[in-house]
Amino acid sequence: MSVTIEVVNDPGATPDDRVGALRRWVDAGNDFPPLTLESNNHIHTIYSFSPYTPAMACLRGREAGLQVVGSVDHDSVAAAAEMRDAGSILGMGVVTGFECRVMLHSAEEVEQGRAPFADRKVNNPDSEGVAYMTVQAIPARSRQAAEDFLRPIRAARLERTRRMTEGANKILAALGAPTMDFESDVVGISQFASGGTITERHLLYAMSEALIACFGRGDALVEGLQKMGVGIPGPLRAVLADPGNLFLPHDLLGLLKAEYLERFYIQPERMVHGGELPDARTVVEFALRIGAIPCYAYLGDVSASPTGDKRAEAFEDSYLDELVAYLRNLGFPAITFMPPRNTAAQLGRISALADAHDMIQVSGVDINQPRQVFSCPELAEPRFAHLGDSTWALVAHEVLSDADPRRGLLHPENPMADLPLSERISAYGELGRQLVSDKGATP
């Protein structure tokens, strides 16, 4: 790697330095593969947990042939400006936003017995009644409002993770393993000071390094994990036993998240109690108010996790019809899902339900560890052509609504507001493609 590329992915460099290094690298005449029909709207960066800066995430996406990249860091919009600048240099469409967890029901609904999903796992492996959602295509004018909304959530999450670290340290101490210093080993590998968030993955990465230091590499690590009571799926055993595994802490992190985190996990609390979980309706209304697109993140029953961080488990599929109707009633205008993670039957069903409830369909592949590929070949299939249109519609929405809120895709005063949703998405999809091909010229 050249020094310039190292700067592009340097978490310690400033965003301006990273973008400048990327510009110099592109100006040097480096070649890219042909563009595909693919996009990825669900990329995490160093501002949540990821081996990629926003600039490097854009570059890796372009190297994979993507036309559009999108950032959705947990509880953070700190990647947005850098992502957009890097995408512009690379001639790509960009969609920026964040991902967060929400209580699916209000406290009043729970108290009144009107909370049908309060005791079910919806799309969150760690908690019942708690859902992941994304807020995407945030216009630049609204980034500060999003930051103000998310800051107390990050602060509460930091303190909860501090307490979980104490629990994890008790386990490490009993094993004779090095214990973690929260500030240096967990916060220190994050971008919390720059508007990023602390996630369970930061804690688990630090714990993975402590376990590797305790047990060693190769078969000794596998034997040590088994003595701890960590279940190791067959295909992962050889990966963890490989003494030359360059991604060992990331691989072990995924295993611990799926099979061990529950031993010291502390459930998050509602924001009204000083915690980090707002109500879903609150976030939906906030997102629409700032001109963004709130999306429910469909997971579906899991038989095998591509990243090893989810065990086989049932989620929304047994009550999906009821759930989507409930989400629409909450005001969700969109559903996001990940084609590589689901079966054809699951994808067909969630797509049909979105159509039936007049909801935008957004695609993306969760990127947060170095083994994952940025490409999504499924999007080149004719059956997913509509996902390309909706991605480009989000590109147009983010740019146009920044200049004039009434040009937002869902704004009631949009000149196209009377058209069916599918026609608006198609029209905005063409606008998005034109915006990028014209290098930002307003159509």
Side-chain angles (χ1 to χ4, degrees):
M1 270 191 180
S2 69
V3 174
T4 299
I5 288 299
E6 289 173 352
V7 173
V8 173
N9 203 40
D10 181 0
T14 67
D16 285 345
D17 286 344
R18 293 192 292 257
V19 170
L22 177 62
R23 185 180 299 278
R24 290 191 298 274
W25 192 82
V26 171
D27 289 345
N30 289 282
D31 294 328
F32 293 106
L35 289 169
T36 66
L37 295 176
E38 301 167 30
S39 60
N40 193 336
N41 293 302
H42 203 109
I43 298 171
H44 296 289
T45 78
I46 57 171
Y47 291 103
S48 45
F49 185 88
S50 170
Y52 305 111
T53 65
M56 181 56 83
C58 284
L59 179 56
R60 288 287 176 256
R62 182 61 190 86
E63 290 173 340
L66 302 187
Q67 296 189 53
V68 180
V69 288
S71 60
V72 285
D73 282 312
H74 291 277
D75 309 324
S76 174
V77 290
E82 182 180 341
M83 199 85 171
R84 178 155 296 285
D85 290 344
S88 177
I89 291 169
L90 295 165
M92 306 174 77
V94 173
V95 180
T96 65
F98 63 86
E99 183 173 12
C100 65
R101 290 176 293 189
V102 296
M103 296 298 302
L104 205 54
H105 310 93
S106 68
E108 292 75 18
E109 286 175 321
V110 174
E111 292 172 1
Q112 296 169 8
R114 297 186 294 110
F117 311 106
D119 58 352
R120 305 189 216 184
K121 284 191 176 179
V122 186
N123 62 2
N124 186 336
D126 302 318
S127 310
E128 296 175 345
V130 177
Y132 280 101
M133 64 174 289
T134 62
V135 173
Q136 300 188 237
I138 300 175
R141 61 180 169 79
S142 296
R143 288 176 193 158
Q144 187 59 52
E147 162 60 17
D148 293 343
F149 181 82
L150 295 169
R151 192 181 303 111
I153 294 175
R154 292 198 303 271
R157 190 166 188 173
L158 172 76
E159 294 307 317
R160 182 173 63 88
T161 308
R162 188 192 303 275
R163 290 185 285 131
M164 286 195 292
T165 301
E166 294 171 359
N169 271 337
K170 291 178 181 178
I171 295 172
L172 292 173
L175 294 169
T179 56
M180 298 171 286
D181 179 84
F182 181 70
E183 293 299 330
S184 61
D185 296 331
V186 181
V187 179
I189 62 172
S190 78
Q191 294 290 313
F192 185 80
S194 301
T197 195
I198 302 289
T199 72
E200 289 81 5
R201 293 179 189 273
H202 291 93
L203 165 56
L204 293 173
Y205 187 91
M207 188 177 188
S208 296
E209 291 196 312
L211 290 172
I212 294 167
C214 176
F215 298 133
R217 287 176 168 258
D219 291 332
L221 175 62
V222 172
E223 292 169 6
L225 292 170
Q226 290 174 330
K227 288 178 182 178
M228 287 174 61
V230 181
I232 305 176
L236 193 55
R237 181 186 177 92
V239 173
L240 294 175
D242 178 5
N245 181 349
L246 297 177
F247 306 125
L248 185 59
H250 286 90
D251 294 331
L252 181 51
L253 178 167
L255 174 65
L256 294 176
K257 189 173 188 301
E259 303 291 342
Y260 203 76
L261 176 61
E262 63 187 9
R263 302 196 184 202
F264 53 89
Y265 188 75
I266 297 173
Q267 291 292 335
E269 294 187 76
R270 290 182 181 273
M271 283 189 72
V272 292
H273 298 143
E276 66 209 63
L277 294 178
D279 294 337
R281 190 185 297 276
T282 297
V283 181
V284 168
E285 291 175 351
F286 169 76
L288 294 173
R289 189 164 63 249
I290 66 171
I293 308 291
C295 311
Y296 172 79
Y298 169 72
L299 177 61
D301 295 353
V302 174
S303 57
S305 171
T307 54
D309 62 352
K310 295 180 181 65
R311 63 165 67 102
E313 194 172 0
F315 291 96
E316 315 105 306
D317 286 348
S318 65
Y319 52 88
L320 190 60
D321 291 40
E322 178 188 2
L323 175 64
V324 174
Y326 181 82
L327 294 170
R328 196 68 182 101
N329 185 59
L330 282 178
F332 277 93
I335 291 179
T336 180
F337 50 89
M338 305 182 187
R341 285 183 180 258
N342 298 115
T343 66
Q346 287 175 312
L347 293 169
R349 185 181 178 200
I350 191 64
S351 181
L353 282 169
D355 282 342
H357 289 276
D358 208 29
M359 300 173 79
I360 303 167
Q361 298 177 46
V362 180
S363 66
V365 183
D366 194 2
I367 300 290
N368 55 35
Q369 57 106 321
R371 288 190 183 276
Q372 292 173 273
V373 296
F374 280 72
S375 58
C376 183
E378 290 84 354
L379 294 183
E381 300 176 20
R383 63 186 173 129
F384 291 129
H386 64 292
L387 296 178
D389 287 340
S390 60
T391 289
W392 281 109
L394 295 187
V395 171
H397 166 89
E398 185 167 334
V399 173
L400 298 178
S401 63
D402 187 47
D404 181 350
R406 292 170 298 181
R407 299 189 74 184
L409 182 62
L410 300 177
H411 197 283
E413 296 179 32
N414 186 304
M416 300 181 186
D418 292 334
L419 294 178
L421 178 63
S422 60
E423 293 185 26
R424 275 181 281 154
I425 290 173
S426 179
Y428 265 63
E430 289 304 311
L431 289 172
R433 293 179 176 94
Q434 185 178 339
L435 280 167
V436 173
S437 65
D438 291 349
K439 301 187 187 320
T442 302

